[in-house]
Amino acid sequence: MTVETKLNFINGEWKASSGKTKESINPANTEEVVGILQNSTKEDLNIAIDAAKNSVKEWRKLSGIQRGEYLSKTAEVLEQRKEEIATTITKEMGKTLGEAKGEVGRAIAILKYYSNEGTQKVGEVIPSSDADAMLLTSRTPIGTVGIITPWNFPLAIPVWKIAPALIYGNTVVFKPATETGVTAALLVECFEEARLPAGVINFITGSGSVIGQGIAENSGINGVSFTGSNNVGMKIAEVVSSRNAKYQLEMGGNNPVIVLEDADLDLAAEQIINGAFLMTGQKCTATSRVIIENKVYDKLKEKLLNKVDNIKVGNGLNSDTWMGPLNNEIELNSVITNVKKVIKEGGKLLCGGNPISNGDYEKGFFFEPTIFENISEDMTIAKEEIFGPVVALMKVNSYEEAVDLANNTKYGLSASVFTKDITKMMTFIDEIDVGVVRVNSESAGVEFQAPFGGMKDSSSHSREQGKAAIEFYTSIKTILIKG
Ligand code: NAP
Ligand code: MG
């Protein structure tokens, strides 16, 4: 089978980079090349940014409804190509085909949602002190935005940034994670099939340090929306703020689940397993710490261990696979190193802890679902993000101790509590320092029509998705009209 080469998409045309190319490989079988990507240069990037800048004037002139039509057409194309794109996501990212189809469905829903935003209000009328004047606000696009995305949701994250950018009248320079650039190219093909005007979306693959950094530095980019690691995010913030442009960052987490003694333990066990191990633990909202009241600790632990026994790890394309591989070798090595560190620090391994490399697993980045106990709050696993199928059980004597422990991290993305006690639910909602609070449900879970983002070091304190997206992608003009 011939391997397809994906080019950059600049000013409405697919173009090869002046630089080299890079292979995208299948993490379940590293001998399979999913596609070949451009390893672009700064020169390519400058052309892409110019194209985006030159397209703002025409694009922002269209009505919101007209721009929305392009988004709904793109949703239709994505729907037609659903199977093909989901299969590519599984081959390139590693998640199961079920998870990949769910992601394509989500991307379609987001496009439809933002296409409708083209009909929603973009300002308000405020009483003026002058009886003869009208005072009002109007939202105006920020111009050209740079969109830098990670590999864990290679379709949905780009869409939840690109769709609002476009509907509010901005043009885009899109740099996807190198690990999942083929999936990103398929998304751009959908926009092309929907006949989005040339230059409105420009797609460029290449390394983070050249293309990502280049986007952050370039004065032609009016705002950067980034999802990824804290190290990279903070660097982007520094560069972008030094030239007084806008930025928005979604970064890591170390998300706690609290299980109180009155909880439905079967429900809690099911939701914890889903939160910790679906997508091989590679969601930013995945469950990392399970904080359990003493009285139900042993019972819950037993339920969790029984469930882990039934997890089938494998190639995401196989219908019986529940958990796919890690996305890449660096992630696999990082999980291996972190697990060793937890053991060295005194954590007790209850199950898993090893890469899987026998037989069919030989050529992939597989790792066992892993549960630790005897974890104290100063250990690495209780503080840092381990982006993989690793979760820590921690025992506490009261709700108060549980919430203090839950908050004792620099992150503040998501958290959940399992209890039937309405007072404790309400207190938890009030006391937990995270952007996504869940009650009797897993820590992971995002709805496109609601705001999403973290507190503390998990984000730039901005919110994405739903109506909240308008804040980043527009500026407010305050207008006074006298007749
Ligand atoms: P990453 O290494 O930070 O990469 C994210 C993106 O930034 C990629 O496109 C990457 O390009 C680019 N990049 C790398 N170095 C850069 C630089 N110096 N300047 C500008 N851009 C640069 O993160 P990842 O490994 O893809 O993803 C895993 C992380 O994302 C985890 O920490 C996870 O928690 C976080 N995450 C957060 C959320 C959320 O919403 N809060 C959602 C998903 C993931 P290359 O691919 O070419 O390196
Ligand atoms: Mg990376």
Side-chain angles (χ1 to χ4, degrees), residues 390-448:
V390 181
V391 67
L393 307 189
M394 303 171 89
K395 205 186 280 184
V396 290
N397 290 311
S398 65
Y399 162 78
E400 289 73 22
E401 202 187 319
V403 80
D404 282 349
L405 195 54
N407 276 332
N408 189 12
T409 156
K410 65 181 178 185
Y411 295 114
L413 190 51
S414 73
S416 74
V417 69
F418 287 84
T419 181
K420 296 190 187 90
D421 182 333
I422 184 86
T423 309
K424 289 204 171 120
M425 285 178 197
M426 300 307 286
T427 315
F428 175 78
I429 293 167
D430 186 40
E431 293 181 342
I432 192 76
D433 297 328
V434 298
V436 179
V437 187
R438 321 249 309 160
V439 177
N440 293 321
S441 189
E442 61 166 303
S443 67
V446 174
E447 299 202 39
F448 61 85

Side-chain angles (χ1 to χ4, degrees), residues 148-152 157 160 175-179 206-209 212-213 226-230 232 235-236 250-253 284 331 385 387 413 452 458:
I148 304 176
T149 54
W151 45 259
N152 62 345
I157 293 180
W160 85 46
K175 181 250 175 292
T178 302
E179 303 290 350
S207 80
S209 55
Q213 175 87 10
F226 167 85
T227 297
S229 63
N230 279 65
V232 173
K235 252 193 253 168
I236 289 177
E250 289 301 337
M251 301 177 285
C284 49
E331 290 298 326
E385 177 180 58
F387 214 51
L413 190 51
F452 173 68
S458 289

Side-chain angles (χ1 to χ4, degrees), residues 137-215:
T137 64
S138 179
R139 294 276 180 172
T140 187
I142 61 174
T144 291
V145 296
I147 283 170
I148 304 176
T149 54
W151 45 259
N152 62 345
F153 287 98
L155 185 73
I157 293 180
V159 169
W160 85 46
K161 293 177 188 296
I162 293 170
L166 297 183
I167 198 68
Y168 299 123
N170 303 281
T171 62
V172 166
V173 176
F174 168 34
K175 181 250 175 292
T178 302
E179 303 290 350
T180 50
V182 175
T183 302
L186 296 182
L187 170 64
V188 176
E189 287 174 16
C190 294
F191 279 108
E192 184 195 21
E193 275 183 59
R195 303 196 180 285
L196 193 72
V200 171
I201 181 164
N202 301 278
F203 168 73
I204 180 160
T205 53
S207 80
S209 55
V210 176
I211 304 303
Q213 175 87 10
I215 286 173

Side-chain angles (χ1 to χ4, degrees), residues 58-73 111-122 138-141 162-170 196-197 470 474:
E58 290 299 315
W59 181 244
R60 61 182 285 174
K61 256 195 217 158
L62 298 182
S63 69
I65 292 174
Q66 286 171 319
R67 288 194 296 265
E69 279 164 11
Y70 289 106
L71 296 190
S72 43
K73 186 80 197 30
L111 283 162
K112 287 182 181 164
Y113 173 85
Y114 281 109
S115 80
N116 188 52
E117 278 303 286
T119 66
Q120 301 300 299
K121 71 181 173 78
V122 287
S138 179
R139 294 276 180 172
T140 187
I162 293 170
L166 297 183
I167 198 68
Y168 299 123
N170 303 281
L196 193 72
I470 200 170
T474 65

